[in-house]
PDB file of all heavy atoms in Angstrom:
ATOM      1  N   ASN D   1     232.275 326.343 138.497  1.00  0.00           N
ATOM      2  CA  ASN D   1     232.668 325.068 139.102  1.00  0.00           C
ATOM      3  C   ASN D   1     231.938 323.869 138.525  1.00  0.00           C
ATOM      4  O   ASN D   1     232.422 322.755 138.631  1.00  0.00           O
ATOM      5  CB  ASN D   1     232.440 325.122 140.619  1.00  0.00           C
ATOM      6  CG  ASN D   1     233.345 326.138 141.283  1.00  0.00           C
ATOM      7  OD1 ASN D   1     234.429 326.436 140.807  1.00  0.00           O
ATOM      8  ND2 ASN D   1     232.885 326.705 142.389  1.00  0.00           N
ATOM      9  N   GLU D   2     230.776 324.104 137.958  1.00  0.00           N
ATOM     10  CA  GLU D   2     230.012 323.017 137.342  1.00  0.00           C
ATOM     11  C   GLU D   2     229.986 323.268 135.841  1.00  0.00           C
ATOM     12  O   GLU D   2     229.127 323.977 135.340  1.00  0.00           O
ATOM     13  CB  GLU D   2     228.577 322.984 137.874  1.00  0.00           C
ATOM     14  CG  GLU D   2     228.468 322.688 139.347  1.00  0.00           C
ATOM     15  CD  GLU D   2     227.035 322.760 139.847  1.00  0.00           C
ATOM     16  OE1 GLU D   2     226.092 322.700 139.017  1.00  0.00           O
ATOM     17  OE2 GLU D   2     226.859 322.904 141.062  1.00  0.00           O
ATOM     18  N   GLY D   3     230.935 322.719 135.138  1.00  0.00           N
ATOM     19  CA  GLY D   3     231.060 322.967 133.711  1.00  0.00           C
ATOM     20  C   GLY D   3     229.815 322.654 132.904  1.00  0.00           C
ATOM     21  O   GLY D   3     229.619 323.181 131.809  1.00  0.00           O
ATOM     22  N   SER D   4     228.944 321.820 133.440  1.00  0.00           N
ATOM     23  CA  SER D   4     227.741 321.444 132.706  1.00  0.00           C
ATOM     24  C   SER D   4     226.546 322.361 133.004  1.00  0.00           C
ATOM     25  O   SER D   4     225.512 322.258 132.340  1.00  0.00           O
ATOM     26  CB  SER D   4     227.354 320.002 133.034  1.00  0.00           C
ATOM     27  OG  SER D   4     227.087 319.889 134.423  1.00  0.00           O
ATOM     28  N   LYS D   5     226.686 323.263 133.972  1.00  0.00           N
ATOM     29  CA  LYS D   5     225.571 324.150 134.339  1.00  0.00           C
ATOM     30  C   LYS D   5     225.308 325.127 133.196  1.00  0.00           C
ATOM     31  O   LYS D   5     226.201 325.824 132.733  1.00  0.00           O
ATOM     32  CB  LYS D   5     225.879 324.907 135.621  1.00  0.00           C
ATOM     33  CG  LYS D   5     224.732 325.817 136.078  1.00  0.00           C
ATOM     34  CD  LYS D   5     225.051 326.459 137.409  1.00  0.00           C
ATOM     35  CE  LYS D   5     224.015 327.452 137.834  1.00  0.00           C
ATOM     36  NZ  LYS D   5     222.847 326.898 138.472  1.00  0.00           N
ATOM     37  N   GLU D   6     224.069 325.204 132.738  1.00  0.00           N
ATOM     38  CA  GLU D   6     223.706 326.110 131.657  1.00  0.00           C
ATOM     39  C   GLU D   6     222.629 327.098 132.054  1.00  0.00           C
ATOM     40  O   GLU D   6     222.441 328.106 131.377  1.00  0.00           O
ATOM     41  CB  GLU D   6     223.229 325.311 130.440  1.00  0.00           C
ATOM     42  CG  GLU D   6     224.318 324.476 129.805  1.00  0.00           C
ATOM     43  CD  GLU D   6     223.841 323.713 128.595  1.00  0.00           C
ATOM     44  OE1 GLU D   6     222.710 323.959 128.120  1.00  0.00           O
ATOM     45  OE2 GLU D   6     224.596 322.858 128.116  1.00  0.00           O
ATOM     46  N   ASN D   7     221.907 326.799 133.137  1.00  0.00           N
ATOM     47  CA  ASN D   7     220.777 327.639 133.516  1.00  0.00           C
ATOM     48  C   ASN D   7     220.806 327.971 135.002  1.00  0.00           C
ATOM     49  O   ASN D   7     221.328 327.211 135.810  1.00  0.00           O
ATOM     50  CB  ASN D   7     219.453 326.922 133.206  1.00  0.00           C
ATOM     51  CG  ASN D   7     219.298 326.640 131.730  1.00  0.00           C
ATOM     52  OD1 ASN D   7     219.422 327.534 130.914  1.00  0.00           O
ATOM     53  ND2 ASN D   7     219.051 325.386 131.403  1.00  0.00           N
ATOM     54  N   ILE D   8     220.211 329.101 135.305  1.00  0.00           N
ATOM     55  CA  ILE D   8     220.031 329.507 136.689  1.00  0.00           C
ATOM     56  C   ILE D   8     218.786 328.792 137.207  1.00  0.00           C
ATOM     57  O   ILE D   8     217.757 328.751 136.520  1.00  0.00           O
ATOM     58  CB  ILE D   8     219.860 331.032 136.779  1.00  0.00           C
ATOM     59  CG1 ILE D   8     221.108 331.724 136.220  1.00  0.00           C
ATOM     60  CG2 ILE D   8     219.582 331.478 138.199  1.00  0.00           C
ATOM     61  CD1 ILE D   8     220.952 333.203 136.055  1.00  0.00           C
ATOM     62  N   SER D   9     218.880 328.251 138.395  1.00  0.00           N
ATOM     63  CA  SER D   9     217.733 327.520 138.953  1.00  0.00           C
ATOM     64  C   SER D   9     216.627 328.492 139.354  1.00  0.00           C
ATOM     65  O   SER D   9     216.869 329.683 139.554  1.00  0.00           O
ATOM     66  CB  SER D   9     218.172 326.696 140.168  1.00  0.00           C
ATOM     67  OG  SER D   9     218.458 327.560 141.255  1.00  0.00           O
ATOM     68  N   ASN D  10     215.430 327.952 139.487  1.00  0.00           N
ATOM     69  CA  ASN D  10     214.303 328.769 139.964  1.00  0.00           C
ATOM     70  C   ASN D  10     214.592 329.332 141.348  1.00  0.00           C
ATOM     71  O   ASN D  10     214.254 330.479 141.639  1.00  0.00           O
ATOM     72  CB  ASN D  10     213.012 327.940 139.989  1.00  0.00           C
ATOM     73  CG  ASN D  10     212.490 327.665 138.597  1.00  0.00           C
ATOM     74  OD1 ASN D  10     212.761 328.404 137.660  1.00  0.00           O
ATOM     75  ND2 ASN D  10     211.738 326.583 138.469  1.00  0.00           N
ATOM     76  N   GLU D  11     215.230 328.526 142.196  1.00  0.00           N
ATOM     77  CA  GLU D  11     215.565 328.980 143.546  1.00  0.00           C
ATOM     78  C   GLU D  11     216.522 330.163 143.500  1.00  0.00           C
ATOM     79  O   GLU D  11     216.384 331.119 144.263  1.00  0.00           O
ATOM     80  CB  GLU D  11     216.181 327.831 144.366  1.00  0.00           C
ATOM     81  CG  GLU D  11     215.216 326.709 144.689  1.00  0.00           C
ATOM     82  CD  GLU D  11     215.012 325.728 143.508  1.00  0.00           C
ATOM     83  OE1 GLU D  11     215.840 325.706 142.566  1.00  0.00           O
ATOM     84  OE2 GLU D  11     214.001 325.015 143.540  1.00  0.00           O
ATOM     85  N   GLU D  12     217.506 330.099 142.602  1.00  0.00           N
ATOM     86  CA  GLU D  12     218.459 331.206 142.468  1.00  0.00           C
ATOM     87  C   GLU D  12     217.765 332.471 141.968  1.00  0.00           C
ATOM     88  O   GLU D  12     218.045 333.573 142.450  1.00  0.00           O
ATOM     89  CB  GLU D  12     219.600 330.812 141.523  1.00  0.00           C
ATOM     90  CG  GLU D  12     220.520 329.752 142.105  1.00  0.00           C
ATOM     91  CD  GLU D  12     221.449 329.130 141.092  1.00  0.00           C
ATOM     92  OE1 GLU D  12     221.076 329.001 139.894  1.00  0.00           O
ATOM     93  OE2 GLU D  12     222.566 328.744 141.481  1.00  0.00           O
ATOM     94  N   MET D  13     216.846 332.334 141.026  1.00  0.00           N
ATOM     95  CA  MET D  13     216.115 333.495 140.516  1.00  0.00           C
ATOM     96  C   MET D  13     215.226 334.096 141.605  1.00  0.00           C
ATOM     97  O   MET D  13     215.112 335.315 141.713  1.00  0.00           O
ATOM     98  CB  MET D  13     215.278 333.135 139.288  1.00  0.00           C
ATOM     99  CG  MET D  13     216.091 332.905 138.018  1.00  0.00           C
ATOM    100  SD  MET D  13     217.162 334.292 137.537  1.00  0.00           S
ATOM    101  CE  MET D  13     215.980 335.595 137.257  1.00  0.00           C
ATOM    102  N   ILE D  14     214.617 333.246 142.419  1.00  0.00           N
ATOM    103  CA  ILE D  14     213.796 333.734 143.534  1.00  0.00           C
ATOM    104  C   ILE D  14     214.665 334.509 144.511  1.00  0.00           C
ATOM    105  O   ILE D  14     214.293 335.587 144.983  1.00  0.00           O
ATOM    106  CB  ILE D  14     213.049 332.569 144.222  1.00  0.00           C
ATOM    107  CG1 ILE D  14     211.951 332.042 143.289  1.00  0.00           C
ATOM    108  CG2 ILE D  14     212.488 332.993 145.578  1.00  0.00           C
ATOM    109  CD1 ILE D  14     211.336 330.723 143.720  1.00  0.00           C
ATOM    110  N   GLU D  15     215.833 333.964 144.819  1.00  0.00           N
ATOM    111  CA  GLU D  15     216.756 334.641 145.739  1.00  0.00           C
ATOM    112  C   GLU D  15     217.176 336.011 145.190  1.00  0.00           C
ATOM    113  O   GLU D  15     217.165 337.004 145.913  1.00  0.00           O
ATOM    114  CB  GLU D  15     217.991 333.762 145.986  1.00  0.00           C
ATOM    115  CG  GLU D  15     218.914 334.275 147.060  1.00  0.00           C
ATOM    116  CD  GLU D  15     218.298 334.312 148.452  1.00  0.00           C
ATOM    117  OE1 GLU D  15     217.405 333.502 148.756  1.00  0.00           O
ATOM    118  OE2 GLU D  15     218.716 335.176 149.234  1.00  0.00           O
ATOM    119  N   LEU D  16     217.516 336.074 143.909  1.00  0.00           N
ATOM    120  CA  LEU D  16     217.876 337.352 143.290  1.00  0.00           C
ATOM    121  C   LEU D  16     216.682 338.307 143.284  1.00  0.00           C
ATOM    122  O   LEU D  16     216.844 339.512 143.482  1.00  0.00           O
ATOM    123  CB  LEU D  16     218.378 337.142 141.859  1.00  0.00           C
ATOM    124  CG  LEU D  16     219.746 336.497 141.713  1.00  0.00           C
ATOM    125  CD1 LEU D  16     220.022 336.174 140.252  1.00  0.00           C
ATOM    126  CD2 LEU D  16     220.837 337.389 142.283  1.00  0.00           C
ATOM    127  N   GLY D  17     215.506 337.773 143.059  1.00  0.00           N
ATOM    128  CA  GLY D  17     214.302 338.597 142.992  1.00  0.00           C
ATOM    129  C   GLY D  17     213.934 339.269 144.296  1.00  0.00           C
ATOM    130  O   GLY D  17     213.165 340.231 144.304  1.00  0.00           O
ATOM    131  N   LYS D  18     214.507 338.800 145.395  1.00  0.00           N
ATOM    132  CA  LYS D  18     214.216 339.410 146.706  1.00  0.00           C
ATOM    133  C   LYS D  18     214.616 340.875 146.757  1.00  0.00           C
ATOM    134  O   LYS D  18     214.086 341.629 147.564  1.00  0.00           O
ATOM    135  CB  LYS D  18     214.905 338.631 147.823  1.00  0.00           C
ATOM    136  CG  LYS D  18     214.279 337.282 148.081  1.00  0.00           C
ATOM    137  CD  LYS D  18     215.003 336.540 149.186  1.00  0.00           C
ATOM    138  CE  LYS D  18     214.380 335.179 149.420  1.00  0.00           C
ATOM    139  NZ  LYS D  18     215.124 334.402 150.434  1.00  0.00           N
ATOM    140  N   ILE D  19     215.545 341.284 145.895  1.00  0.00           N
ATOM    141  CA  ILE D  19     215.967 342.687 145.886  1.00  0.00           C
ATOM    142  C   ILE D  19     214.777 343.595 145.579  1.00  0.00           C
ATOM    143  O   ILE D  19     214.709 344.720 146.043  1.00  0.00           O
ATOM    144  CB  ILE D  19     217.139 342.934 144.904  1.00  0.00           C
ATOM    145  CG1 ILE D  19     217.686 344.364 145.040  1.00  0.00           C
ATOM    146  CG2 ILE D  19     216.739 342.698 143.464  1.00  0.00           C
ATOM    147  CD1 ILE D  19     218.332 344.673 146.342  1.00  0.00           C
ATOM    148  N   SER D  20     213.822 343.099 144.810  1.00  0.00           N
ATOM    149  CA  SER D  20     212.687 343.938 144.425  1.00  0.00           C
ATOM    150  C   SER D  20     211.815 344.320 145.622  1.00  0.00           C
ATOM    151  O   SER D  20     211.081 345.298 145.573  1.00  0.00           O
ATOM    152  CB  SER D  20     211.839 343.248 143.363  1.00  0.00           C
ATOM    153  OG  SER D  20     211.185 342.116 143.900  1.00  0.00           O
ATOM    154  N   ILE D  21     211.924 343.570 146.701  1.00  0.00           N
ATOM    155  CA  ILE D  21     211.134 343.846 147.903  1.00  0.00           C
ATOM    156  C   ILE D  21     211.732 345.011 148.689  1.00  0.00           C
ATOM    157  O   ILE D  21     211.024 345.758 149.354  1.00  0.00           O
ATOM    158  CB  ILE D  21     211.056 342.589 148.792  1.00  0.00           C
ATOM    159  CG1 ILE D  21     210.366 341.458 148.031  1.00  0.00           C
ATOM    160  CG2 ILE D  21     210.371 342.871 150.114  1.00  0.00           C
ATOM    161  CD1 ILE D  21     210.513 340.102 148.680  1.00  0.00           C
ATOM    162  N   THR D  22     213.036 345.181 148.592  1.00  0.00           N
ATOM    163  CA  THR D  22     213.726 346.138 149.455  1.00  0.00           C
ATOM    164  C   THR D  22     214.175 347.420 148.774  1.00  0.00           C
ATOM    165  O   THR D  22     214.669 348.315 149.450  1.00  0.00           O
ATOM    166  CB  THR D  22     214.967 345.469 150.081  1.00  0.00           C
ATOM    167  OG1 THR D  22     215.820 345.006 149.031  1.00  0.00           O
ATOM    168  CG2 THR D  22     214.574 344.327 150.989  1.00  0.00           C
ATOM    169  N   VAL D  23     214.012 347.521 147.468  1.00  0.00           N
ATOM    170  CA  VAL D  23     214.537 348.702 146.775  1.00  0.00           C
ATOM    171  C   VAL D  23     213.762 349.963 147.121  1.00  0.00           C
ATOM    172  O   VAL D  23     212.570 349.926 147.390  1.00  0.00           O
ATOM    173  CB  VAL D  23     214.550 348.528 145.230  1.00  0.00           C
ATOM    174  CG1 VAL D  23     215.512 347.465 144.816  1.00  0.00           C
ATOM    175  CG2 VAL D  23     213.175 348.277 144.692  1.00  0.00           C
ATOM    176  N   LYS D  24     214.486 351.070 147.095  1.00  0.00           N
ATOM    177  CA  LYS D  24     213.884 352.373 147.314  1.00  0.00           C
ATOM    178  C   LYS D  24     213.485 352.991 145.978  1.00  0.00           C
ATOM    179  O   LYS D  24     212.811 354.002 145.944  1.00  0.00           O
ATOM    180  CB  LYS D  24     214.884 353.298 148.004  1.00  0.00           C
ATOM    181  CG  LYS D  24     215.276 352.854 149.384  1.00  0.00           C
ATOM    182  CD  LYS D  24     216.340 353.769 149.940  1.00  0.00           C
ATOM    183  CE  LYS D  24     216.865 353.220 151.249  1.00  0.00           C
ATOM    184  NZ  LYS D  24     218.008 353.981 151.744  1.00  0.00           N
TER     185      LYS D  24
END
């Protein structure tokens, strides 16, 4: 939706990184 977006934000990476807390 944002044609100019080229990078994932730090906030988005932090949100994705939360999976590491819950993995078995």
Side-chain angles (χ1 to χ4, degrees):
N1 295 332
E2 296 176 18
S4 61
K5 182 176 175 82
E6 294 181 10
N7 298 307
I8 300 171
S9 71
N10 288 335
E11 292 80 18
E12 291 167 328
M13 287 304 298
I14 290 168
E15 188 64 29
L16 289 172
K18 289 179 181 176
I19 187 66
S20 68
I21 299 167
T22 58
V23 294
K24 296 176 187 173

